[in-house]
Amino acid sequence: MTESTDQLIAGQPGEVDRGLTVKRDGKTQHTVQTISQAYPTTVEDLWEACTQADRLKRWFGPVSGDFRLGGRYQVEGNASGEVIACEAPRFYTVTWEYGGDSSQVTVRLTPDGEGARFTLEHEHTGDADSDFWTQFGPGATGVGWDLAVLGLAMHLITGEDRPEDPEAFGKTAAAQQFIRTVSERWGETSVQAGTPEEEATAAAKRTTAFYLGEPAGD
């Protein structure tokens, strides 16, 4: 990586807005995670980056399938789903099916000053106080989305593609510090959403350990 890339990675956590709402209804919990960043490009260019297979491959990962309304897609080695709503170049919504679980992701694009803003909303309904949520909190998926918008920032700001070897990238000092920082930020976001600080901090530490392959410490 170049010095300018390291600088971008170091400053990236502060360029992102994160949000979380948690609603419980009996034994059911509904969560909405939001991650948002403005980029120096147009809404139209950002739409192409988020919907064209050749552009998605450069910052997000290989995605195949039918990208029309009602079509199905597959992220290589990750989630699959169906396009259930689309209004180009403003937004699209897809189901996000992974590991036997199904949630919903909406990508919204809006003008932002002289640039364009990318906002992703990840909605999930599941068991209240599930073991997985208690153990990792919103960072379990949040860190992954932070890594995605980092890839988009590199693509749109420096023109670089995502690392050919994500595992090797994850072992670099810059990437590891990035993961630690954004995991902490999701812990702080969880506190703002009503999670007791001690629980949110512990979950963030476990998330960090998971992503870095370190002992959880508890």
Side-chain angles (χ1 to χ4, degrees), residues 15-33:
E15 298 295 323
V16 173
D17 296 324
R18 301 169 189 81
L20 175 69
T21 61
V22 181
K23 296 181 180 180
R24 293 181 175 87
D25 182 9
K27 296 182 179 180
T28 301
Q29 174 173 296
H30 181 71
T31 62
V32 181
Q33 283 181 269

Side-chain angles (χ1 to χ4, degrees), residues 89-100:
R90 295 180 56 244
F91 76 91
Y92 64 82
T93 301
V94 298
T95 59
W96 187 260
E97 302 163 15
Y98 182 76

Side-chain angles (χ1 to χ4, degrees), residues 134-136 198-207 209-210 214-218:
T134 300
Q135 186 175 8
F136 297 109
E198 184 175 352
E199 294 179 14
T201 300
K205 289 180 178 179
R206 288 189 287 267
T207 295
F210 172 81
E214 298 177 345
D218 60 3

